[in-house]
Amino acid sequence: HLGGVPGATSNAIQLCEAAGYNVIIVETVGAGQSEIAVANRTDLFVLFIRPGSGDELQGIKKGIVEVADMIIVTKADGNLKTAARLVKTEYSRALRLLRNHDDTSWKPFVLTVSALNGEGISDAWEEMLEFQKEMISTGKYYDRRRRQRVSWLWDHVQYELMDHFKRDNTITEFQKKLEEDVRDGVMMPSTAAQQLLSEFLAGRKS
C-alpha cells in the first residue's frame, strides 16, 4: 500500500496474534512515507539497507533513520562485503548525528548480515530479543502498544471515510470538474478539497 498503511493490516496483525503467532513481519514497499507509518504501528521497526543499489542513503534523506529501532545492512558478502561495511559506517554516523531517541534507553545501531553465508543473522535476532526485553522491562512496550491502537483507529476512520467518499455517486461529476480545474491550474488543491468535502457532507445531511 503505497504512501500509507491500509486499515486491513491491523486486522491481519490481530488475527495472527489471536492464532498464536508471536513474530509477525510487516513489510513495506520502501516508499518513505509508508515506512514511517509502519514504524508507528509495530513493536520493532527495522530498516533494511541493500549495498550497491544506488540508494543506500535514501533512509537518511527520507527521515527514516529517526524512527528506526535497528538498521540492518544486507548482502554483506562477496563483492558487496566492503560496500556493506561502508554503508554501516555511514548509517552509524547518521544515527549519532540525527537520532534523538527518547522512547527508551535503547540506542539504535547498525548490523551487517549475509543470508548467503548466515553471518550476522543470529546476532540480529538476539538484538531483537534484547530490544523486546528492554521495552517490556521499562514499560515502554505497553506505551507503544497503546499508541498503536490509537493509530489503527484513525487508519480505519480514514479508510472508511475514503470508501464512503468514493462510492458516493452524487458527487462524481462535481469531483471530475474539480479534478480538471486542479489539473489545469485553475484552482488550488486545498480549495478544491474544501469544496469537495463540503459537497460530500451536505449530501449526508439531506
PDB file of all heavy atoms in Angstrom, residues 127-139:
ATOM      1  N   GLU A 127      19.600  -9.400  19.123  1.00  0.00           N
ATOM      2  CA  GLU A 127      19.398  -7.981  19.423  1.00  0.00           C
ATOM      3  C   GLU A 127      17.916  -7.624  19.419  1.00  0.00           C
ATOM      4  O   GLU A 127      17.464  -6.783  20.202  1.00  0.00           O
ATOM      5  CB  GLU A 127      20.155  -7.114  18.419  1.00  0.00           C
ATOM      6  CG  GLU A 127      21.665  -7.199  18.528  1.00  0.00           C
ATOM      7  CD  GLU A 127      22.176  -6.711  19.880  1.00  0.00           C
ATOM      8  OE1 GLU A 127      21.456  -5.967  20.579  1.00  0.00           O
ATOM      9  OE2 GLU A 127      23.313  -7.072  20.247  1.00  0.00           O
ATOM     10  N   MET A 128      17.146  -8.253  18.550  1.00  0.00           N
ATOM     11  CA  MET A 128      15.700  -8.019  18.532  1.00  0.00           C
ATOM     12  C   MET A 128      15.067  -8.497  19.836  1.00  0.00           C
ATOM     13  O   MET A 128      14.195  -7.828  20.402  1.00  0.00           O
ATOM     14  CB  MET A 128      15.063  -8.748  17.344  1.00  0.00           C
ATOM     15  CG  MET A 128      15.453  -8.173  15.994  1.00  0.00           C
ATOM     16  SD  MET A 128      14.755  -9.121  14.613  1.00  0.00           S
ATOM     17  CE  MET A 128      15.594  -8.346  13.225  1.00  0.00           C
ATOM     18  N   LEU A 129      15.507  -9.642  20.313  1.00  0.00           N
ATOM     19  CA  LEU A 129      15.003 -10.166  21.584  1.00  0.00           C
ATOM     20  C   LEU A 129      15.417  -9.252  22.742  1.00  0.00           C
ATOM     21  O   LEU A 129      14.643  -9.044  23.689  1.00  0.00           O
ATOM     22  CB  LEU A 129      15.518 -11.579  21.816  1.00  0.00           C
ATOM     23  CG  LEU A 129      15.027 -12.658  20.846  1.00  0.00           C
ATOM     24  CD1 LEU A 129      15.661 -13.997  21.172  1.00  0.00           C
ATOM     25  CD2 LEU A 129      13.500 -12.765  20.875  1.00  0.00           C
ATOM     26  N   GLU A 130      16.624  -8.723  22.674  1.00  0.00           N
ATOM     27  CA  GLU A 130      17.103  -7.811  23.705  1.00  0.00           C
ATOM     28  C   GLU A 130      16.277  -6.525  23.712  1.00  0.00           C
ATOM     29  O   GLU A 130      15.970  -5.973  24.769  1.00  0.00           O
ATOM     30  CB  GLU A 130      18.573  -7.482  23.471  1.00  0.00           C
ATOM     31  CG  GLU A 130      19.211  -6.614  24.543  1.00  0.00           C
ATOM     32  CD  GLU A 130      19.216  -7.279  25.914  1.00  0.00           C
ATOM     33  OE1 GLU A 130      19.256  -8.524  25.975  1.00  0.00           O
ATOM     34  OE2 GLU A 130      19.188  -6.542  26.932  1.00  0.00           O
ATOM     35  N   PHE A 131      15.932  -6.053  22.521  1.00  0.00           N
ATOM     36  CA  PHE A 131      15.090  -4.863  22.402  1.00  0.00           C
ATOM     37  C   PHE A 131      13.728  -5.108  23.064  1.00  0.00           C
ATOM     38  O   PHE A 131      13.228  -4.281  23.824  1.00  0.00           O
ATOM     39  CB  PHE A 131      14.895  -4.511  20.928  1.00  0.00           C
ATOM     40  CG  PHE A 131      13.923  -3.392  20.691  1.00  0.00           C
ATOM     41  CD1 PHE A 131      14.323  -2.068  20.803  1.00  0.00           C
ATOM     42  CD2 PHE A 131      12.599  -3.657  20.354  1.00  0.00           C
ATOM     43  CE1 PHE A 131      13.431  -1.021  20.594  1.00  0.00           C
ATOM     44  CE2 PHE A 131      11.697  -2.633  20.138  1.00  0.00           C
ATOM     45  CZ  PHE A 131      12.114  -1.312  20.259  1.00  0.00           C
ATOM     46  N   GLN A 132      13.124  -6.263  22.759  1.00  0.00           N
ATOM     47  CA  GLN A 132      11.837  -6.602  23.351  1.00  0.00           C
ATOM     48  C   GLN A 132      11.931  -6.674  24.871  1.00  0.00           C
ATOM     49  O   GLN A 132      11.061  -6.158  25.588  1.00  0.00           O
ATOM     50  CB  GLN A 132      11.351  -7.946  22.801  1.00  0.00           C
ATOM     51  CG  GLN A 132      10.000  -8.378  23.368  1.00  0.00           C
ATOM     52  CD  GLN A 132       9.660  -9.805  23.002  1.00  0.00           C
ATOM     53  OE1 GLN A 132      10.504 -10.703  23.098  1.00  0.00           O
ATOM     54  NE2 GLN A 132       8.430 -10.018  22.561  1.00  0.00           N
ATOM     55  N   LYS A 133      13.002  -7.280  25.357  1.00  0.00           N
ATOM     56  CA  LYS A 133      13.204  -7.418  26.804  1.00  0.00           C
ATOM     57  C   LYS A 133      13.278  -6.050  27.469  1.00  0.00           C
ATOM     58  O   LYS A 133      12.653  -5.821  28.519  1.00  0.00           O
ATOM     59  CB  LYS A 133      14.474  -8.212  27.069  1.00  0.00           C
ATOM     60  CG  LYS A 133      14.810  -8.397  28.537  1.00  0.00           C
ATOM     61  CD  LYS A 133      16.101  -9.188  28.695  1.00  0.00           C
ATOM     62  CE  LYS A 133      16.497  -9.323  30.159  1.00  0.00           C
ATOM     63  NZ  LYS A 133      17.775 -10.075  30.307  1.00  0.00           N
ATOM     64  N   GLU A 134      14.033  -5.140  26.871  1.00  0.00           N
ATOM     65  CA  GLU A 134      14.178  -3.816  27.461  1.00  0.00           C
ATOM     66  C   GLU A 134      12.870  -3.027  27.407  1.00  0.00           C
ATOM     67  O   GLU A 134      12.507  -2.342  28.355  1.00  0.00           O
ATOM     68  CB  GLU A 134      15.282  -3.035  26.752  1.00  0.00           C
ATOM     69  CG  GLU A 134      15.439  -1.622  27.302  1.00  0.00           C
ATOM     70  CD  GLU A 134      16.715  -0.946  26.840  1.00  0.00           C
ATOM     71  OE1 GLU A 134      17.666  -1.657  26.514  1.00  0.00           O
ATOM     72  OE2 GLU A 134      16.735   0.289  26.823  1.00  0.00           O
ATOM     73  N   MET A 135      12.165  -3.137  26.282  1.00  0.00           N
ATOM     74  CA  MET A 135      10.893  -2.424  26.147  1.00  0.00           C
ATOM     75  C   MET A 135       9.889  -2.876  27.202  1.00  0.00           C
ATOM     76  O   MET A 135       9.168  -2.062  27.787  1.00  0.00           O
ATOM     77  CB  MET A 135      10.325  -2.637  24.745  1.00  0.00           C
ATOM     78  CG  MET A 135      11.109  -1.944  23.645  1.00  0.00           C
ATOM     79  SD  MET A 135      10.884  -0.148  23.663  1.00  0.00           S
ATOM     80  CE  MET A 135       9.253  -0.012  22.949  1.00  0.00           C
ATOM     81  N   ILE A 136       9.846  -4.183  27.453  1.00  0.00           N
ATOM     82  CA  ILE A 136       8.913  -4.713  28.439  1.00  0.00           C
ATOM     83  C   ILE A 136       9.336  -4.316  29.849  1.00  0.00           C
ATOM     84  O   ILE A 136       8.499  -3.904  30.671  1.00  0.00           O
ATOM     85  CB  ILE A 136       8.819  -6.249  28.314  1.00  0.00           C
ATOM     86  CG1 ILE A 136       8.140  -6.623  26.989  1.00  0.00           C
ATOM     87  CG2 ILE A 136       8.049  -6.846  29.494  1.00  0.00           C
ATOM     88  CD1 ILE A 136       8.079  -8.112  26.726  1.00  0.00           C
ATOM     89  N   SER A 137      10.622  -4.410  30.138  1.00  0.00           N
ATOM     90  CA  SER A 137      11.105  -4.105  31.489  1.00  0.00           C
ATOM     91  C   SER A 137      10.902  -2.646  31.863  1.00  0.00           C
ATOM     92  O   SER A 137      10.701  -2.314  33.033  1.00  0.00           O
ATOM     93  CB  SER A 137      12.583  -4.477  31.616  1.00  0.00           C
ATOM     94  OG  SER A 137      13.383  -3.653  30.779  1.00  0.00           O
ATOM     95  N   THR A 138      10.958  -1.750  30.877  1.00  0.00           N
ATOM     96  CA  THR A 138      10.781  -0.313  31.149  1.00  0.00           C
ATOM     97  C   THR A 138       9.326   0.128  31.030  1.00  0.00           C
ATOM     98  O   THR A 138       9.005   1.268  31.347  1.00  0.00           O
ATOM     99  CB  THR A 138      11.632   0.528  30.178  1.00  0.00           C
ATOM    100  OG1 THR A 138      11.227   0.240  28.829  1.00  0.00           O
ATOM    101  CG2 THR A 138      13.107   0.225  30.352  1.00  0.00           C
ATOM    102  N   GLY A 139       8.459  -0.778  30.573  1.00  0.00           N
ATOM    103  CA  GLY A 139       7.054  -0.420  30.407  1.00  0.00           C
ATOM    104  C   GLY A 139       6.753   0.282  29.108  1.00  0.00           C
ATOM    105  O   GLY A 139       5.584   0.569  28.803  1.00  0.00           O
TER     106      GLY A 139
END
